[in-house]
Amino acid sequence: MKRLILSLVALVALSAAALKAQTITSPDGNLSFTFSLNEGVPTYSVDYKGAPVILPSRLGFDLNGTSDLLDGFTAGEAVKSSFDETWTPVWGEETSIRNHYNELLVQLTQTFSNRKMNIRVRLYNDGYGLRYEFPRQRSLKYFTVAEERTEFALTGDHNAFWMPGDYDTQEYDYFESKLSEMGAIAAAHVSTNSSTTRFSDWGVQTALTMKSAEGIYITLHEAALVDYSCMHLLYNPETLTFTSWLTPDAIGNKAYLQTPAKTPWRTAVITDDARELLASRLTLNLNEPCAIEDTSWIKPVKYMGVWWELITGKTNWSYAAEGNIKLAEVDYADLKPHNRHGANNENVKRYIDFASRYGFDQLLVEGWNVGWEDWFGQHKDYVFDFVTPYPDFNLPELQKYANERGMRLMMHHETSSSVRNYERHLDKAYQFMVDNGYNSVKSGYVGNIFPRGEYHYGQLMNNHYLYAIQKAAEYKIMVNAHEAVRPTGLCRTWPNLIGNESARGTEYQSFGGTHPHHVTILPFTRLQGGPMDYTPGIFRMDLTDIPGNNSKVLSTLANQLALYVTLYSPLQMAADMPENYERYIDAFQFIVDVPVEWSESRYLMAEPGDYVVIARKDKNSENWFVGGVTDENRRTLSLSFDFLPAGKEYVATIYADAKDADYETNPEAYRIVEGKVNGKSVAQIAMARGGGFAISIREATPADKKIKRLKKNF
Ligand code: NOJ
Ligand code: CA
């Protein structure tokens, strides 16, 4: 009897497999996604406006210790459905997000092994997400992925905005090149040293953005990276095909799964208008809804920090001059502090005085806790305890000082990637924060991972980052993790994840500089997964008067202001030191005015690697803000204010590059122009090389009578 049922099931499956390929279209009909079994091999392809974008591409897995899940499949029932909802993010670029897709679920069985693997596809107007699901089943309980074999077969040698694949870091400059040129460029220009873990000259990281000769933009990434390894892509220039390449663990395995299980979504945003890449919410939509019931404690944060002076080498994280002090053996009170410890009471108060005068929410203080004498590059299990301040950092007094001025301190946990140590201390460390009035932590994962041999982007570490965020939610703590895996939209589910670094941030302007095109690529790539703690706002570009620093910031001052609008984040820092802001206090006013909560965003002009112009409306007022940045080329653009509601008068304050500004020769030159505008106004705005502009726009009042109309060529 049992036999009979089994063969009947097989018959049904076979007849379903004989059915034609399954196709779904996007709600607007522009995209179509086709799944088929090609002689038992799961295969898909994607068309946009009637032309192929992804050619037939294979799906499947190499497994360890058992037969692979690559072929021999038959298809069971295909289930099609639709979904349309609008949800409210706790914070974001707008106050409501539409999640509208058509779905296809294909149920596959590998006949010879009787193992089941489903493919779920969600097709949106702006792209698709595809993931593998493994139902609970007798014939597949535990399995080890040797490699995932998801292909993206492309239609041509596209232009790409890419960075090298690496299991441990994303702090690279981007390259712009043809896909076929990537290997030679990586071989010639990307260093392979002890701090990089590259796997091939043809390997790249996601989000990867490409532009075809026909003007189609494609961004490949992943969404909802949970209990799995981070995906890189390996390019084959012969077949024009990317194949997934997962981050291994210490013994070379790629992922460990137990059914029921599912992989992250493999995503592509596809459009012929670059602005739609910026407007896409596909990554967020493919994540689960918010898992935190009471989110009232999660608030966007504008902050300053005892930080840039540490990064630039003006002062130090460490309290004592002596090197190699063992935490367990030392009584810090007996040590003589060296005169460059940044996190001392007097200096911290100086920052609080300044930041509170200008309405900042928080002050980050790094180097407040013991351990910095001997923390870097060692494979130690025990580095920091996260609860013991240095003797010259009077925590209760400083927190009180900040509170009395309407601010609070922001916590810093440098884990030195000693993750085992961090997890052991986590509850105590978070409780310590609660007891001392902190509600946000910047965490960091510098150096090699302990447990040894693990990588920053492997399954074990990805589970750790999420664990730290979930635990933080229990304590009502917001997290901004540096050096963690690049975001994949998990902030929808865990909105207390208010920031990540996971790319090259402003700190590199102090380590030799960053190419100006960087900020014109980030919004199309790294920011697709979630906000970045980029730390903009540097006003003093020549750092060579700081002993030991030979760097210059490769950006104009107006470009720095624009970043508060063009690089969306609910967490924004004014990264420079008070004394540098004092020099240009009129320009600093933009940082004071710009909000961190928005109700609406308009992507006005965009081309990856060239320029980005965005307008956003303040969530708590009728004010609008505009930011524009360019790459290393000077550009003049015509800005229409038609995003403003008709019939209303506004006062615009434009912070523009001075006529002779240039990121290399005259980076701090700017001009500020004020004028009346309305929805019909147009202005010609010149951006210097490495430059940009920022505009704050407020409703006009009778008191503004004397302010003149903004001239087109102001
Ligand atoms: C690297 C981080 O990106 C930086 O912001 C931090 O100051 C240092 N690590 C020290 O934790
Ligand atoms: Ca970093």
Side-chain angles (χ1 to χ4, degrees):
M1 186 62 184
K2 207 169 162 202
R3 251 169 189 251
L4 186 69
I5 292 174
L6 270 181
S7 56
L8 263 178
V9 169
L11 195 73
V12 171
L14 267 177
S15 61
L19 290 176
K20 318 195 280 296
Q22 297 290 340
T23 297
I24 52 170
T25 51
S26 56
D28 67 2
N30 282 340
L31 278 167
S32 70
F33 184 107
T34 300
F35 176 88
S36 59
L37 274 177
N38 192 354
E39 297 187 350
V41 176
T43 305
Y44 77 100
S45 60
V46 181
D47 287 5
Y48 176 65
K49 295 190 176 169
V53 182
I54 306 282
L55 297 171
S57 299
R58 299 171 58 136
L59 298 167
F61 293 85
D62 283 342
L63 300 189
N64 239 353
T66 180
S67 52
D68 298 332
L69 287 168
L70 290 169
D71 50 20
F73 287 97
T74 51
E77 203 195 340
V79 185
K80 292 182 182 174
S81 60
S82 295
F83 188 80
D84 190 2
E85 67 163 7
T86 298
W87 57 280
T88 307
V90 175
W91 43 258
E93 297 179 60
E94 58 269 300
T95 44
S96 71
I97 295 177
R98 188 166 180 198
N99 184 10
H100 187 197
Y101 59 82
N102 291 330
E103 182 175 286
L104 171 67
L105 174 69
V106 191
Q107 300 171 331
L108 303 175
T109 303
Q110 193 177 39
T111 349
F112 67 83
S113 68
N114 197 31
R115 293 178 297 183
K116 293 187 176 61
M117 177 174 88
N118 298 342
I119 312 284
R120 192 181 294 273
V121 183
R122 291 187 178 160
L123 190 58
Y124 292 80
N125 290 342
D126 54 357
Y128 69 87
L130 167 165
R131 81 174 176 210
Y132 303 88
E133 297 179 351
F134 303 94
R136 189 187 296 282
Q137 53 192 292
R138 269 179 208 286
S139 33
L140 188 64
K141 279 188 185 158
Y142 296 95
F143 60 108
T144 303
V145 174
E147 193 55 88
E148 181 183 321
R149 299 277 180 214
T150 303
E151 292 181 349
F152 302 87
L154 303 171
T155 58
D157 187 12
H158 303 331
N159 253 326
F161 302 86
W162 58 278
M163 67 163 76
D166 190 316
Y167 301 147
D168 274 314
T169 182
Q170 296 222 311
E171 297 181 5
Y172 283 103
D173 265 322
Y174 284 99
F175 292 99
E176 297 181 38
S177 78
K178 294 265 182 219
L179 290 168
S180 58
E181 296 162 351
M182 295 192 304
I185 291 174
H189 298 291
V190 184
S191 74
T192 303
N193 58 41
S194 57
S195 66
T196 68
T197 37
R198 293 179 49 223
F199 52 92
S200 162
D201 285 339
W202 290 102
V204 298
Q205 310 208 26
T206 71
L208 168 77
T209 292
M210 295 169 280
K211 186 181 185 184
S212 76
E214 297 75 33
I216 309 297
Y217 300 87
I218 308 161
T219 298
L220 302 180
H221 191 34
E222 63 180 305
L225 171 52
V226 177
D227 199 13
Y228 202 75
S229 295
C230 166
M231 179 181 73
H232 301 271
L233 297 171
L234 183 65
Y235 190 63
N236 181 340
E238 313 277 290
T239 58
L240 310 185
T241 298
F242 278 109
T243 306
S244 52
W245 182 278
L246 302 179
T247 306
D249 72 353
I251 56 170
N253 288 327
K254 299 278 176 121
Y256 300 88
L257 300 183
Q258 177 191 355
T259 57
K262 50 186 188 258
T263 68
W265 297 94
R266 278 63 189 93
T267 64
V269 179
I270 299 165
T271 173
D272 54 12
D273 183 338
R275 296 173 301 178
E276 283 176 14
L277 291 179
L278 304 180
S280 172
R281 299 295 172 254
L282 183 123
T283 315
L284 287 176
N285 277 332
L286 286 167
N287 275 270
E288 295 298 319
C290 182
I292 303 172
E293 209 165 305
D294 168 21
T295 56
S296 58
W297 50 275
I298 301 172
K299 294 235 158 61
V301 177
K302 207 198 290 190
Y303 74 108
M304 290 187 68
V306 178
W307 180 73
W308 189 239
E309 61 175 69
L310 305 168
I311 287 289
T312 54
K314 192 177 161 228
T315 60
N316 208 293
W317 283 268
S318 171
Y319 167 80
E322 291 95 323
N324 275 354
I325 295 161
K326 292 278 176 300
L327 186 64
E329 295 157 20
V330 78
D331 183 352
Y332 284 83
D334 292 343
L335 284 177
K336 202 175 152 328
H338 70 62
N339 55 11
R340 293 202 305 129
H341 179 224
N344 66 72
N345 294 323
E346 197 192 332
N347 198 30
V348 172
K349 283 186 183 167
R350 182 174 76 92
Y351 276 82
I352 296 173
D353 288 342
F354 181 85
S356 62
R357 196 176 330 138
Y358 294 102
F360 283 81
D361 305 309
Q362 303 207 1
L363 180 75
L364 165 74
V365 186
E366 296 197 9
W368 68 277
N369 58 327
V370 300
W372 287 93
E373 299 77 20
D374 182 20
W375 71 284
F376 181 73
Q378 306 300 328
H379 262 179
K380 292 183 300 180
D381 189 21
Y382 188 71
V383 187
F384 296 103
D385 70 1
F386 311 102
V387 295
T388 312
Y390 279 131
D392 60 347
F393 182 83
N394 186 334
L395 199 166
E397 185 192 308
L398 290 170
Q399 190 70 276
K400 183 161 169 273
Y401 193 85
N403 290 170
E404 284 167 359
R405 287 157 184 78
M407 292 180 63
R408 46 169 126 206
L409 300 179
M410 182 184 287
M411 177 48 82
H412 183 232
H413 290 166
E414 174 52 68
T415 69
S416 71
S417 291
S418 180
V419 184
R420 204 176 106 86
N421 179 50
Y422 191 45
E423 285 187 0
R424 267 192 279 129
H425 285 78
L426 204 51
D427 274 293
K428 257 193 269 166
Y430 285 159
Q431 188 57 50
F432 178 84
M433 286 178 58
V434 171
D435 294 344
N436 287 284
Y438 291 90
N439 72 351
S440 69
V441 59
K442 169 181 172 181
S443 58
Y445 296 86
V446 171
N448 293 335
I449 307 290
F450 189 100
R452 288 180 190 154
E454 293 293 333
Y455 298 109
H456 278 77
Y457 302 157
Q459 186 177 17
L460 178 133
M461 285 303 292
N462 295 339
N463 288 352
H464 163 79
Y465 305 129
L466 190 54
Y467 174 74
I469 294 161
Q470 291 167 338
K471 260 264 160 253
E474 288 172 24
Y475 291 87
K476 297 193 168 31
I477 287 171
M478 300 183 276
V479 177
N480 161 28
H482 280 222
E483 292 91 37
V485 71
R486 74 272 192 298
T488 56
L490 288 171
C491 59
R492 176 179 179 190
T493 316
W494 301 98
N496 64 321
L497 174 60
I498 52 166
N500 269 122
E501 185 186 40
S502 312
R504 195 179 168 96
T506 298
E507 61 185 8
Y508 281 83
Q509 298 282 19
S510 164
F511 310 155
T514 290
H515 192 285
H517 76 169
H518 192 59
V519 295
T520 69
I521 300 174
L522 283 174
F524 299 98
T525 52
R526 162 64 184 77
L527 299 195
Q528 291 293 305
M532 177 173 178
D533 183 32
Y534 187 76
T535 71
I538 304 304
F539 274 22
R540 181 163 181 80
M541 309 305 175
D542 185 351
L543 305 175
T544 59
D545 54 353
I546 298 171
N549 196 320
N550 299 318
S551 203
K552 288 191 178 170
V553 176
L554 303 179
S555 151
T556 69
L557 194 146
N559 175 283
Q560 290 290 309
L561 295 181
L563 300 177
Y564 290 91
V565 183
T566 59
L567 300 178
Y568 167 70
S569 176
L571 177 75
Q572 288 285 16
M573 184 182 203
D576 211 335
M577 300 173 249
E579 57 270 37
N580 292 336
Y581 289 135
E582 304 273 19
R583 294 169 63 225
Y584 300 123
I585 207 74
D586 57 349
F588 185 64
Q589 189 61 41
F590 182 80
I591 303 180
V592 173
D593 292 339
V594 71
V596 281
E597 298 190 79
W598 306 104
S599 60
E600 211 184 316
S601 296
R602 303 280 180 85
Y603 306 91
L604 304 179
M605 292 171 232
E607 188 61 45
D610 291 343
Y611 55 86
V612 172
V613 181
I614 300 174
R616 302 191 198 270
K617 183 169 177 288
D618 182 10
K619 192 170 179 179
N620 302 305
S621 77
E622 292 304 306
N623 298 348
W624 284 80
F625 293 80
V626 187
V629 290
T630 178
D631 59 358
E632 72 283 5
N633 297 306
R634 189 183 165 82
R635 282 172 215 279
T636 300
L637 52 85
S638 180
L639 178 78
S640 160
F641 288 78
D642 59 4
F643 52 86
L644 293 174
K648 268 189 174 183
E649 287 294 319
Y650 291 83
V651 175
T653 307
I654 305 185
Y655 303 77
D657 288 318
K659 294 222 154 57
D660 55 352
D662 182 295
Y663 79 93
E664 284 179 308
T665 57
N666 195 16
E668 292 169 20
Y670 62 90
R671 62 198 185 105
I672 302 176
V673 179
E674 194 182 63
K676 284 234 177 77
V677 295
N678 59 32
K680 291 189 183 129
S681 306
V682 174
Q684 295 288 120
I685 304 186
M687 299 190 279
R689 298 173 65 240
F693 66 92
I695 312 178
S696 62
I697 305 169
R698 61 171 175 83
E699 282 182 295
T701 69
D704 298 318
K705 236 180 19 214
K706 286 206 190 106
I707 298 175
K708 298 224 174 75
R709 189 146 296 283
L710 184 77
K711 289 209 198 85
K712 189 171 178 209
N713 294 301
F714 63 93

